């Protein structure tokens, strides 16, 4: 069975600082991986996804993530945080072959940005 | 509208009452998903529809929960005899199917917040 673990339920950074949100997956074969963002009182929207092409994936709003098979990780980064980045971030996984294609989500990480 | 629409946005009910939550997916999306979001628990999968069929309903927590989809479009999630532990935000999502399954993104509605007193 596939799963994702997001380390840290809350991450706090200063405006302009590096953002790093961690996601590790557990899967017998490299899966497809996604990051979604949820702003207050809104649904989730896709930031970026990895589907076995380039390991460094660029998404919207300046975010990017790197798939590292050796570390079973897909951490989300942004060089410089903006106040508008404050939101809940979810990592999700689906199998790349066989099994159910229903995404499994992590518990989420709340990003807090201080002025 | 162009997005996934859910109603009601907020529902307060008394323990023991039945509730219905509605989801109107993006036109042309054949796959539809229901998730439950509780504080600090992330997204819990409930049920998945492909067209009007539900090939995976393994996430429904009890027989008080049921869902249907008609016309390959609108879906209704019904919770009978609600309990306080049912309080959560219920999220609906849709996606294109076929070759996009697994690699495609899910499009989410804003959710229905259920509070059971």
């Amino acid at each position: 069975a596939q799963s994702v673990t997001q380390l840290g339920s809350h991450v706090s950074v200063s405006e302009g600082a590096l953002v790093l949100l961690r996601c590790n997956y557990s899967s017998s074969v490299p899966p497809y991986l996604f990051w979604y963002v949820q702003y207050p009182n809104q649904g989730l929207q896709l930031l970026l996804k990895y589907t076995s092409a380039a390991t460094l994936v660029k998404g919207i709003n300046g975010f990017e993530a790197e798939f590292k098979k050796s570390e079973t990780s897909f951490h989300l980064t942004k060089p410089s945080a903006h106040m508008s980045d404050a939101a809940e971030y979810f990592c999700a996984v689906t199998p790349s072959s066989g099994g159910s294609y229903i995404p499994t989500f992590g518990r989420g990480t709340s990003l807090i940005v201080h002025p | 509208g162009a997005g996934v629409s859910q109603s009601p946005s907020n529902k307060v009910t008394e323990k023991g009452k039945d509730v219905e939550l509605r989801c109107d997916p993006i036109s042309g999306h054949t796959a539809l998903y229901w998730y439950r979001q509780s504080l600090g628990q992330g997204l819990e999968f409930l049920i998945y529809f492909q067209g009007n069929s539900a090939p995976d309903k393994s996430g429904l927590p009890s027989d008080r929960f049921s869902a249907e989809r008609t016309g390959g479009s609108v879906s209704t999630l019904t919770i009978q005899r609600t309990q306080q532990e049912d309080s959560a935000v219920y999220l609906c999502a849709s996606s294109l199917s076929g070759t996009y399954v697994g690699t495609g993104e899910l499009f989410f509605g804003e959710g229905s917040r259920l509070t059971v007193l």
Side-chain angles (χ1 to χ4, degrees), chain A residues 1-8 22-26 31-38 42-49 74 88-95 100-109, chain B residues 32-38 40-48 89-95 102-109:
Chain A
Q2 60 192 10
S3 65
V4 288
T5 301
Q6 292 184 242
L7 295 177
R22 299 178 186 274
C23 173
N24 288 87
Y25 68 88
S26 174
Y32 297 142
L33 292 153
F34 306 80
W35 276 101
Y36 285 83
V37 60
Q38 184 180 33
Q42 294 186 24
L44 282 70
Q45 64 182 86
L46 184 71
L47 268 180
L48 48 80
K49 64 182 180 182
F74 190 57
E88 190 85 12
Y89 291 80
F90 293 91
C91 184
V93 61
T94 64
S100 167
Y101 287 113
I102 297 166
T104 300
F105 287 81
R107 292 194 169 194
T109 298
Chain B
L32 186 147
Y33 311 75
W34 283 98
Y35 286 86
R36 179 167 69 176
Q37 184 177 22
S38 304
Q41 296 300 312
L43 272 68
E44 175 189 8
F45 166 73
L46 297 178
I47 187 169
Y48 157 66
V89 177
Y90 290 82
L91 291 169
C92 176
S94 68
S95 71
T103 62
E105 70 177 285
L106 267 58
F107 294 81
F108 283 83

Side-chain angles (χ1 to χ4, degrees), chain B residues 36 46 60-67 77-80 86 90:
Chain B
R36 179 167 69 176
L46 297 178
L60 294 178
S62 75
D63 58 8
R64 296 187 295 105
F65 287 71
S66 63
L77 177 68
T78 301
I79 309 172
Q80 296 179 310
D86 300 334
Y90 290 82

Side-chain angles (χ1 to χ4, degrees), chain A residues 1-17:
Chain A
Q2 60 192 10
S3 65
V4 288
T5 301
Q6 292 184 242
L7 295 177
S9 59
H10 294 82
V11 170
S12 181
V13 299
S14 298
E15 190 173 20

Side-chain angles (χ1 to χ4, degrees), chain A residues 7 20 34 42 45 50 64 71 83 85 101 107 110:
Chain A
L7 295 177
L20 171 61
F34 306 80
Q42 294 186 24
Q45 64 182 86
Y50 166 76
E64 64 181 38
E71 299 177 7
M83 297 295 291
D85 294 327
Y101 287 113
R107 292 194 169 194
S110 178

